[in-house]
Amino acid sequence: MDSIRITGAAVLEGEIPVSGAKNATLPLMAASLLTADTLELTNVPRLRDIGTLIKVLEQHGVTVETETGAIRMTARDIPNTTAPYDLVRQMRASILVLGPLIARYGNAVVSLPGGCAIGSRPVDLHLMALEVLGAKIDLGRGYIHARAPEGGLTGGKIIFPKVSVGASENALMAASLARGTTIIENIALEPEVIDLANCLTAMGARIAGIGSERLVIEGVDALHGATHSVVADRIEAGTYAMAAAVTGGSVLLRNVREDLFGAGATVLRKAGITMEERGADIHISCAAGELTGVDMITDPFPGFPTDLQAQFMALMTKARGASMITETIFENRYMHVPELRRMGANINLNGSSALVRGVDTLYGAEVMATDLRASSSLVIAALAADGDTTINRVYHLDRGYERLVEKLSACGARVERIPGQ
Ligand code: UD1
């Protein structure tokens, strides 16, 4: 297995192009199942998770053409409505095919994703939403068996008791083709959900209230093809903003808007980072020694994203003073803590909160991470550390960061990928 070696303490200076968001691309790809026409996505990142969803779609019978930065998907006919375990277990987001399949074909058999490293991650809200639209759902032998009534799904009122990004996306896609009106309350406001709603609208869906917590969807008989450019990856952008800041550097993040950061922008500014919108880009800088400890709680958008919690903790290990970080979305999302401690970080964990006291020096070490965002927190710590850090299990980073080594090296980081034996 490949690893990444980083020699720390180089100041990052330069430009980083921000890729299209992985978490927007995946539901947008699933939306291709809703139409017999071609859906073309541009600004698509080249990532392992995208490759996994391509395999899922292809085994359903979708024709997929890829070229640099673009995917064209045509689901003219779907001979197979089963998403098998060996693909779904590689990537939980495969469950996003459930809503489109049942809405267009009236049935779907999708493997239950199972737990993952950061928490148990149930899918009850996805199933509840589809049941409101009339789906009959049975669970058996590790699979979700979903069937629409004769005549297809019908509109209904879906009230989410808790914000779920994936369940919101499945509900939105299914409701677009359900007969009659669907109201979705407490829908997730994440930019990736809004990107999906905009793409569905371009495909002919009738959705009112986009950007608010209550959507009203008038189902249509069929959707048509469209071309859609994927929204920028706010998590990638936030990661590089913190990477630059921890080195006392300055970078221009290309093609990303500040509103995508939500409360993240406020928290980063409070921590001493200067963030300035410049046209379609954002300039980030932080003078050496200027990082200050601030408290942070993760929350659904526009709150601080859980997907930047680990990176923020790495940033806070080098801040002046203390920071209390509280994770409210996933129950087991502190696996980066022991690894950061091995690099000299001072972190005390108590339940869902972590008290981070800034230290003067982090030290390079051999570390390993168990999930995508934990791995990127180790990259941030390594960039700030004295000496060499080797990060193992790079495949986690390959799931979510396109050309990470190239993007960081272009800004002066001393980073290289070491092929596994
Ligand atoms: C998406 C993102 C992931 C991010 C997460 C939260 C994608 C592909 N992934 O994941 O990177 O960390 O949003 O912003 O977009 N829950 C239930 N029942 C359900 C569904 C969710 O209880 O049926 C719970 C989860 O366990 C979790 C919380 O709701 O505690 C939020 O999860 P959710 O928003 O659904 O996350 P994902 O869509 O899986």
Side-chain angles (χ1 to χ4, degrees):
M1 263 184 272
D2 293 2
S3 55
I4 284 182
R5 184 162 60 217
I6 297 179
T7 306
V11 176
L12 294 195
E13 306 271 0
E15 289 188 7
I16 298 184
V18 175
S19 297
K22 164 180 88 76
N23 286 353
T25 308
L26 297 172
L28 289 166
M29 289 170 69
S32 70
L33 289 164
L34 290 164
T35 173
D37 295 345
T38 300
L39 175 64
E40 180 178 39
L41 301 177
T42 58
N43 199 30
V44 171
R46 186 189 286 257
L47 296 169
R48 219 164 60 109
D49 276 8
I50 307 292
T52 306
L53 194 56
I54 289 176
K55 281 191 212 148
V56 175
L57 294 177
E58 282 180 335
Q59 63 86 44
H60 286 311
V62 180
T63 309
V64 182
E65 290 169 45
T66 55
E67 62 183 70
T68 312
I71 307 187
R72 272 180 297 278
M73 294 150 294
T74 312
R76 207 165 302 292
D77 199 25
I78 296 297
N80 171 24
T81 54
T82 299
Y85 175 64
D86 64 321
L87 288 174
V88 178
R89 79 183 161 81
Q90 288 176 38
M91 188 186 60
R92 303 180 48 82
S94 309
I95 191 148
L96 292 168
V97 300
L98 181 62
L101 284 176
I102 187 171
R104 182 153 162 232
Y105 294 95
N107 72 75
V109 180
V110 177
S111 170
L112 277 162
C116 79
I118 61 174
S120 64
R121 303 184 78 173
V123 292
D124 56 316
L125 300 173
H126 297 245
L127 305 186
M128 176 279 283
L130 297 175
E131 278 174 337
V132 169
L133 301 181
K136 175 99 183 53
I137 293 184
D138 294 302
L139 301 181
R141 295 177 176 269
Y143 277 79
I144 303 162
H145 299 259
R147 186 165 289 281
E150 199 72 26
L153 298 178
T154 47
K157 188 166 183 175
I158 300 168
I159 306 177
F160 283 113
K162 171 178 187 173
V163 175
S164 162
V165 172
S168 297
E169 292 164 342
N170 252 330
L172 189 52
M173 289 190 279
S176 297
L177 283 185
R179 269 183 302 125
T181 308
T182 298
I183 295 173
I184 308 181
E185 288 191 1
N186 201 21
I187 190 158
L189 296 175
E190 269 66 6
E192 295 77 21
V193 180
I194 291 171
D195 205 36
L196 174 65
N198 287 334
C199 177
L200 291 171
T201 304
M203 292 166 73
R206 293 173 57 201
I207 307 171
I210 296 176
S212 75
E213 284 165 17
R214 183 174 191 271
L215 295 190
V216 180
I217 301 139
E218 296 296 338
V220 294
D221 290 340
L223 294 173
H224 51 72
T227 297
H228 178 84
S229 173
V230 177
V231 68
D233 194 325
R234 63 198 167 100
I235 305 301
E236 187 201 27
T239 302
Y240 289 128
M242 292 191 250
V246 84
T247 67
S250 71
V251 294
L252 188 68
L253 300 172
R254 304 290 310 273
N255 287 318
V256 62
R257 308 187 313 264
E258 181 174 325
D259 61 287
L260 297 176
F261 282 76
T266 316
V267 173
L268 294 186
R269 287 202 173 98
K270 264 183 151 176
I273 297 175
T274 304
M275 252 179 115
E276 214 178 80
E277 267 193 301
R278 293 189 183 166
D281 309 326
I282 299 180
H283 187 261
I284 298 287
S285 61
C286 184
E290 282 307 301
L291 277 175
T292 311
V294 278
D295 295 347
M296 182 280 279
I297 297 178
T298 62
D299 242 337
F301 195 85
F304 193 98
T306 174
D307 284 353
L308 284 177
Q309 177 259 108
Q311 299 89 317
F312 186 73
M313 187 179 292
L315 183 75
M316 290 292 96
T317 64
K318 288 284 290 169
R320 266 184 287 125
S323 160
M324 177 71 90
I325 295 175
T326 304
E327 170 62 51
T328 68
I329 311 287
F330 293 111
E331 65 270 26
N332 192 24
R333 210 169 197 182
Y334 282 135
M335 272 143 346
H336 43 286
V337 170
E339 301 299 305
L340 290 172
R341 280 195 193 125
R342 296 188 60 246
M343 298 177 71
N346 180 342
I347 306 169
N348 274 310
L349 265 186
N350 185 8
S352 62
S353 290
L355 179 65
V356 186
R357 293 187 176 88
V359 294
D360 288 336
T361 313
L362 292 177
Y363 301 97
E366 188 163 342
V367 289
M368 149 178 112
T370 40
D371 74 82
L372 165 59
R373 306 306 173 185
S375 309
S376 57
S377 80
L378 298 176
V379 170
I380 291 177
L383 289 168
D386 278 1
D388 286 357
T389 298
T390 304
I391 303 172
N392 293 309
R393 298 196 183 174
V394 173
Y395 59 87
H396 287 300
L397 287 167
D398 294 340
R399 292 188 60 182
Y401 290 91
E402 184 181 33
R403 299 188 292 110
L404 174 113
V405 169
E406 288 87 330
K407 288 186 184 188
L408 285 173
S409 322
C411 293
R414 290 172 291 183
V415 47
E416 61 179 328
R417 188 170 181 125
I418 301 163
Q421 305 305 325

